[in-house]
Amino acid sequence: QLQASGGGLVQAGGSLRLSCAASGRAFSTLFMGWFRQAPGKEREFVAIINRNGDGKNYADSVKGRFTISRDNAKNTVYLQMNSLKSEDTAVYYCAADSSPLGRSWPDPRAGDMVYWGKGTLVTVSS
């Protein structure tokens, strides 16, 4: 089970930190990712982190502004979002890939992820 939190309303240029707490299985065996879905658009990849946290990949649209990290001792993955833009407005979902070979790595599609959280809304006002 994945539970995302930390969304809210922020002005353009501001920052938010999303968290996603996992329960129910060995967190350190999971590739963890963040996706987002804006109104009227398809769900898209944002960031992914490998099992021990030393590998990360980002969508071009967020590179240099967003940082994904994880704390395996706390079973939590984070998404630090800086320099937010109005086009970052979306529901953000955390997701987990439990496949043994990490099929989602490094460029995941939504279908590569096995477990999904319910999402947290981020609204960036311009």
Side-chain angles (χ1 to χ4, degrees):
Q1 183 177 359
L2 303 176
Q3 182 64 52
S5 61
L9 175 64
V10 63
Q11 289 187 334
S15 298
L16 279 176
R17 188 194 196 201
L18 305 183
S19 299
C20 176
S23 61
R25 67 174 295 134
F27 182 72
S28 62
T29 67
L30 303 172
F31 285 75
M32 296 298 300
W34 287 95
F35 290 72
R36 66 187 181 187
Q37 188 165 17
K41 295 188 176 182
E42 293 188 354
R43 193 168 298 188
E44 65 175 5
F45 163 68
V46 175
I48 189 169
I49 189 167
N50 68 357
R51 293 176 176 127
N52 63 13
D54 64 355
K56 304 173 185 180
N57 194 33
Y58 300 91
D60 288 342
S61 59
V62 306
K63 277 181 183 175
R65 300 188 298 122
F66 290 12
T67 302
I68 189 171
S69 61
R70 67 190 294 163
D71 186 337
N72 285 349
K74 295 182 178 179
N75 287 3
T76 303
V77 62
Y78 305 96
L79 185 68
Q80 178 67 44
M81 305 185 295
N82 298 328
S83 302
L84 283 161
K85 305 175 181 179
S86 57
E87 52 263 45
D88 295 319
T89 294
V91 177
Y92 283 72
Y93 298 89
C94 63
D97 171 15
S98 58
S99 62
L101 298 180
R103 64 190 176 198
S104 61
W105 180 261
D107 295 302
R109 299 165 297 177
D112 292 328
M113 312 307 282
V114 177
Y115 303 103
W116 290 87
K118 286 190 175 180
T120 184
L121 176 62
V122 173
T123 304
V124 184
S125 63
S126 57

